[in-house]
Short mmCIF file of all heavy atoms in Angstrom, two decimals:
data_model
loop_
_atom_site.label_atom_id
_atom_site.label_comp_id
_atom_site.label_asym_id
_atom_site.label_seq_id
_atom_site.Cartn_x
_atom_site.Cartn_y
_atom_site.Cartn_z
N LEU A 16 -83.17 59.72 -50.68
CA LEU A 16 -82.31 59.45 -49.56
C LEU A 16 -81.83 58.01 -49.54
O LEU A 16 -80.65 57.69 -49.38
CB LEU A 16 -83.03 59.73 -48.22
CG LEU A 16 -83.15 61.21 -47.77
CD1 LEU A 16 -84.00 61.28 -46.55
CD2 LEU A 16 -81.78 61.80 -47.53
N SER A 17 -82.78 57.08 -49.70
CA SER A 17 -82.47 55.66 -49.70
C SER A 17 -81.52 55.30 -50.83
O SER A 17 -80.57 54.58 -50.61
CB SER A 17 -83.78 54.87 -49.83
OG SER A 17 -83.55 53.48 -49.66
N ASN A 18 -81.78 55.84 -52.03
CA ASN A 18 -80.88 55.55 -53.14
C ASN A 18 -79.53 56.12 -52.97
O ASN A 18 -78.48 55.51 -53.30
CB ASN A 18 -81.51 56.11 -54.43
CG ASN A 18 -82.57 55.23 -55.00
OD1 ASN A 18 -82.62 54.04 -54.76
ND2 ASN A 18 -83.48 55.82 -55.79
N LEU A 19 -79.47 57.34 -52.37
CA LEU A 19 -78.20 58.03 -52.15
C LEU A 19 -77.32 57.20 -51.21
O LEU A 19 -76.14 56.99 -51.45
CB LEU A 19 -78.46 59.42 -51.60
CG LEU A 19 -77.19 60.26 -51.28
CD1 LEU A 19 -76.31 60.47 -52.47
CD2 LEU A 19 -77.60 61.59 -50.70
N ILE A 20 -77.89 56.75 -50.11
CA ILE A 20 -77.15 55.95 -49.15
C ILE A 20 -76.65 54.67 -49.79
O ILE A 20 -75.53 54.22 -49.55
CB ILE A 20 -77.99 55.67 -47.88
CG1 ILE A 20 -78.25 56.99 -47.12
CG2 ILE A 20 -77.39 54.65 -46.97
CD1 ILE A 20 -79.25 56.89 -46.00
N GLU A 21 -77.52 54.04 -50.59
CA GLU A 21 -77.09 52.81 -51.25
C GLU A 21 -75.92 53.06 -52.21
O GLU A 21 -74.96 52.30 -52.25
CB GLU A 21 -78.27 52.23 -52.04
CG GLU A 21 -77.92 50.97 -52.80
CD GLU A 21 -78.92 50.63 -53.88
OE1 GLU A 21 -79.49 51.63 -54.45
OE2 GLU A 21 -79.09 49.48 -54.22
N GLU A 22 -75.99 54.19 -52.99
CA GLU A 22 -74.93 54.45 -53.92
C GLU A 22 -73.62 54.74 -53.23
O GLU A 22 -72.56 54.27 -53.67
CB GLU A 22 -75.34 55.68 -54.79
CG GLU A 22 -76.37 55.40 -55.85
CD GLU A 22 -76.57 56.57 -56.75
OE1 GLU A 22 -75.65 56.95 -57.52
OE2 GLU A 22 -77.63 57.22 -56.70
N VAL A 23 -73.65 55.52 -52.15
CA VAL A 23 -72.43 55.83 -51.39
C VAL A 23 -71.81 54.55 -50.87
O VAL A 23 -70.60 54.31 -50.99
CB VAL A 23 -72.69 56.82 -50.25
CG1 VAL A 23 -71.46 56.99 -49.38
CG2 VAL A 23 -73.12 58.16 -50.81
N ALA A 24 -72.65 53.68 -50.29
CA ALA A 24 -72.14 52.40 -49.70
C ALA A 24 -71.56 51.48 -50.77
O ALA A 24 -70.45 50.94 -50.60
CB ALA A 24 -73.24 51.72 -48.89
N ASP A 25 -72.28 51.36 -51.90
CA ASP A 25 -71.79 50.48 -52.96
C ASP A 25 -70.49 50.98 -53.53
O ASP A 25 -69.54 50.18 -53.75
CB ASP A 25 -72.85 50.39 -54.07
CG ASP A 25 -73.99 49.46 -53.69
OD1 ASP A 25 -73.88 48.70 -52.74
OD2 ASP A 25 -75.05 49.53 -54.38
N ASN A 26 -70.38 52.25 -53.79
CA ASN A 26 -69.13 52.81 -54.33
C ASN A 26 -68.01 52.72 -53.32
O ASN A 26 -66.84 52.53 -53.70
CB ASN A 26 -69.36 54.29 -54.75
CG ASN A 26 -70.09 54.41 -56.06
OD1 ASN A 26 -69.50 54.18 -57.12
ND2 ASN A 26 -71.35 54.74 -56.00
N TYR A 27 -68.32 52.86 -52.07
CA TYR A 27 -67.29 52.75 -51.01
C TYR A 27 -66.71 51.32 -51.01
O TYR A 27 -65.45 51.16 -50.96
CB TYR A 27 -67.88 53.06 -49.65
CG TYR A 27 -66.94 52.97 -48.48
CD1 TYR A 27 -65.93 53.96 -48.23
CD2 TYR A 27 -66.98 51.87 -47.59
CE1 TYR A 27 -65.10 53.84 -47.15
CE2 TYR A 27 -66.16 51.76 -46.54
CZ TYR A 27 -65.19 52.76 -46.33
OH TYR A 27 -64.35 52.64 -45.24
N TYR A 28 -67.55 50.33 -51.06
CA TYR A 28 -67.10 48.92 -51.09
C TYR A 28 -66.33 48.63 -52.37
O TYR A 28 -65.35 47.86 -52.37
CB TYR A 28 -68.26 47.98 -50.91
CG TYR A 28 -68.87 48.01 -49.53
CD1 TYR A 28 -70.24 47.99 -49.33
CD2 TYR A 28 -68.06 48.12 -48.39
CE1 TYR A 28 -70.83 48.04 -48.05
CE2 TYR A 28 -68.61 48.18 -47.10
CZ TYR A 28 -69.99 48.16 -46.98
OH TYR A 28 -70.53 48.21 -45.71
N GLU A 29 -66.78 49.19 -53.47
CA GLU A 29 -66.01 49.00 -54.73
C GLU A 29 -64.64 49.64 -54.65
O GLU A 29 -63.69 49.08 -55.20
CB GLU A 29 -66.84 49.62 -55.92
CG GLU A 29 -68.08 48.83 -56.26
CD GLU A 29 -68.90 49.51 -57.35
OE1 GLU A 29 -68.35 50.40 -58.00
OE2 GLU A 29 -70.09 49.15 -57.52
N LEU A 30 -64.54 50.78 -53.99
CA LEU A 30 -63.25 51.42 -53.84
C LEU A 30 -62.34 50.58 -52.98
O LEU A 30 -61.15 50.41 -53.29
CB LEU A 30 -63.44 52.81 -53.19
CG LEU A 30 -62.20 53.66 -52.95
CD1 LEU A 30 -61.43 53.88 -54.27
CD2 LEU A 30 -62.53 54.94 -52.28
N LEU A 31 -62.83 50.01 -51.88
CA LEU A 31 -62.01 49.12 -51.05
C LEU A 31 -61.59 47.89 -51.82
O LEU A 31 -60.44 47.40 -51.67
CB LEU A 31 -62.81 48.69 -49.82
CG LEU A 31 -63.16 49.78 -48.80
CD1 LEU A 31 -63.92 49.17 -47.62
CD2 LEU A 31 -61.89 50.44 -48.26
N ALA A 32 -62.45 47.37 -52.68
CA ALA A 32 -62.12 46.22 -53.53
C ALA A 32 -60.97 46.57 -54.47
O ALA A 32 -60.02 45.79 -54.69
CB ALA A 32 -63.31 45.71 -54.27
N LEU A 33 -61.05 47.74 -55.08
CA LEU A 33 -59.97 48.19 -55.99
C LEU A 33 -58.64 48.35 -55.23
O LEU A 33 -57.57 48.01 -55.75
CB LEU A 33 -60.38 49.51 -56.65
CG LEU A 33 -61.48 49.41 -57.71
CD1 LEU A 33 -61.92 50.80 -58.12
CD2 LEU A 33 -60.98 48.62 -58.95
N ASP A 34 -58.69 48.88 -54.01
CA ASP A 34 -57.46 48.99 -53.17
C ASP A 34 -56.86 47.64 -52.98
O ASP A 34 -55.61 47.48 -53.10
CB ASP A 34 -57.82 49.61 -51.83
CG ASP A 34 -58.10 51.09 -51.94
OD1 ASP A 34 -57.68 51.75 -52.93
OD2 ASP A 34 -58.82 51.64 -51.04
N ASN A 35 -57.68 46.64 -52.65
CA ASN A 35 -57.14 45.29 -52.38
C ASN A 35 -56.64 44.64 -53.68
O ASN A 35 -55.63 43.90 -53.68
CB ASN A 35 -58.21 44.45 -51.73
CG ASN A 35 -58.34 44.69 -50.26
OD1 ASN A 35 -57.79 43.98 -49.42
ND2 ASN A 35 -59.07 45.74 -49.90
N GLN A 36 -57.30 44.92 -54.78
CA GLN A 36 -56.79 44.37 -56.05
C GLN A 36 -55.51 45.00 -56.46
O GLN A 36 -54.63 44.36 -57.03
CB GLN A 36 -57.87 44.60 -57.14
CG GLN A 36 -59.08 43.71 -56.99
CD GLN A 36 -60.12 43.93 -58.08
OE1 GLN A 36 -60.19 45.00 -58.70
NE2 GLN A 36 -60.94 42.94 -58.32
N LEU A 37 -55.29 46.29 -56.11
CA LEU A 37 -54.04 46.94 -56.40
C LEU A 37 -52.93 46.27 -55.58
O LEU A 37 -51.84 46.05 -56.08
CB LEU A 37 -54.13 48.41 -56.07
CG LEU A 37 -52.87 49.25 -56.31
CD1 LEU A 37 -52.43 49.20 -57.78
CD2 LEU A 37 -53.08 50.71 -55.89
N ASP A 38 -53.22 46.00 -54.32
CA ASP A 38 -52.24 45.30 -53.50
C ASP A 38 -51.88 43.92 -54.06
O ASP A 38 -50.70 43.53 -54.03
CB ASP A 38 -52.76 45.14 -52.06
CG ASP A 38 -52.83 46.48 -51.29
OD1 ASP A 38 -52.20 47.42 -51.78
OD2 ASP A 38 -53.59 46.53 -50.31
N ILE A 39 -52.86 43.23 -54.55
CA ILE A 39 -52.60 41.91 -55.13
C ILE A 39 -51.72 42.02 -56.36
O ILE A 39 -50.80 41.24 -56.57
CB ILE A 39 -53.96 41.22 -55.48
CG1 ILE A 39 -54.71 40.87 -54.19
CG2 ILE A 39 -53.75 39.98 -56.33
CD1 ILE A 39 -56.10 40.37 -54.44
N ILE A 40 -52.02 43.00 -57.20
CA ILE A 40 -51.20 43.22 -58.43
C ILE A 40 -49.77 43.55 -58.04
O ILE A 40 -48.80 43.07 -58.66
CB ILE A 40 -51.80 44.30 -59.28
CG1 ILE A 40 -53.08 43.83 -59.98
CG2 ILE A 40 -50.81 44.85 -60.31
CD1 ILE A 40 -52.79 42.80 -61.05
N GLN A 41 -49.58 44.37 -57.03
CA GLN A 41 -48.25 44.73 -56.59
C GLN A 41 -47.52 43.51 -56.05
O GLN A 41 -46.29 43.33 -56.30
CB GLN A 41 -48.31 45.88 -55.58
CG GLN A 41 -48.74 47.20 -56.15
CD GLN A 41 -49.01 48.25 -55.11
OE1 GLN A 41 -49.19 47.94 -53.92
NE2 GLN A 41 -49.00 49.52 -55.52
N GLN A 42 -48.21 42.68 -55.30
CA GLN A 42 -47.57 41.47 -54.77
C GLN A 42 -47.21 40.52 -55.97
O GLN A 42 -46.17 39.89 -55.95
CB GLN A 42 -48.53 40.71 -53.84
CG GLN A 42 -48.78 41.52 -52.54
CD GLN A 42 -49.91 40.93 -51.72
OE1 GLN A 42 -50.41 39.85 -52.05
NE2 GLN A 42 -50.33 41.63 -50.67
N TYR A 43 -48.13 40.45 -56.92
CA TYR A 43 -47.88 39.62 -58.11
C TYR A 43 -46.68 40.11 -58.89
O TYR A 43 -45.88 39.36 -59.44
CB TYR A 43 -49.12 39.56 -58.97
CG TYR A 43 -49.04 38.68 -60.20
CD1 TYR A 43 -49.01 37.33 -60.08
CD2 TYR A 43 -49.00 39.26 -61.50
CE1 TYR A 43 -48.89 36.49 -61.17
CE2 TYR A 43 -48.92 38.46 -62.60
CZ TYR A 43 -48.87 37.06 -62.43
OH TYR A 43 -48.78 36.28 -63.54
N THR A 44 -46.55 41.45 -58.99
CA THR A 44 -45.40 42.05 -59.65
C THR A 44 -44.10 41.67 -59.02
O THR A 44 -43.10 41.31 -59.69
CB THR A 44 -45.54 43.59 -59.70
OG1 THR A 44 -46.75 43.93 -60.39
CG2 THR A 44 -44.36 44.22 -60.41
N LYS A 45 -44.05 41.70 -57.67
CA LYS A 45 -42.87 41.29 -56.94
C LYS A 45 -42.56 39.78 -57.20
O LYS A 45 -41.41 39.40 -57.37
CB LYS A 45 -43.03 41.53 -55.47
CG LYS A 45 -43.11 43.00 -55.07
CD LYS A 45 -43.33 43.13 -53.57
CE LYS A 45 -43.44 44.62 -53.21
NZ LYS A 45 -43.73 44.80 -51.74
N LEU A 46 -43.59 38.98 -57.27
CA LEU A 46 -43.43 37.56 -57.53
C LEU A 46 -42.84 37.35 -58.92
O LEU A 46 -41.96 36.51 -59.12
CB LEU A 46 -44.78 36.85 -57.38
CG LEU A 46 -44.79 35.34 -57.49
CD1 LEU A 46 -44.01 34.71 -56.37
CD2 LEU A 46 -46.22 34.81 -57.51
N GLN A 47 -43.34 38.10 -59.88
CA GLN A 47 -42.86 38.00 -61.26
C GLN A 47 -41.39 38.49 -61.34
O GLN A 47 -40.60 37.96 -62.14
CB GLN A 47 -43.73 38.81 -62.19
CG GLN A 47 -45.11 38.24 -62.47
CD GLN A 47 -45.01 36.86 -63.09
OE1 GLN A 47 -44.29 36.67 -64.04
NE2 GLN A 47 -45.76 35.92 -62.52
N GLN A 48 -41.10 39.51 -60.54
CA GLN A 48 -39.72 40.01 -60.52
C GLN A 48 -38.75 38.94 -60.05
O GLN A 48 -37.69 38.73 -60.62
CB GLN A 48 -39.64 41.26 -59.61
CG GLN A 48 -38.28 41.96 -59.64
CD GLN A 48 -38.05 42.67 -60.99
OE1 GLN A 48 -38.91 43.37 -61.50
NE2 GLN A 48 -36.87 42.44 -61.55
N ARG A 49 -39.14 38.23 -58.98
CA ARG A 49 -38.29 37.14 -58.47
C ARG A 49 -38.17 35.99 -59.46
O ARG A 49 -37.11 35.41 -59.67
CB ARG A 49 -38.85 36.63 -57.13
CG ARG A 49 -38.66 37.57 -55.97
CD ARG A 49 -38.88 36.89 -54.63
NE ARG A 49 -40.22 36.43 -54.47
CZ ARG A 49 -41.17 37.11 -53.92
NH1 ARG A 49 -40.97 38.34 -53.46
NH2 ARG A 49 -42.39 36.62 -53.78
#
């Protein structure tokens, strides 16, 4: 149970980090376009 909760939380935060990195890449792409 303890390991399962840790894995779900860690993967959830990693997913949020990837979402934010995707936003940064998209902003950088617009900057490169300009």
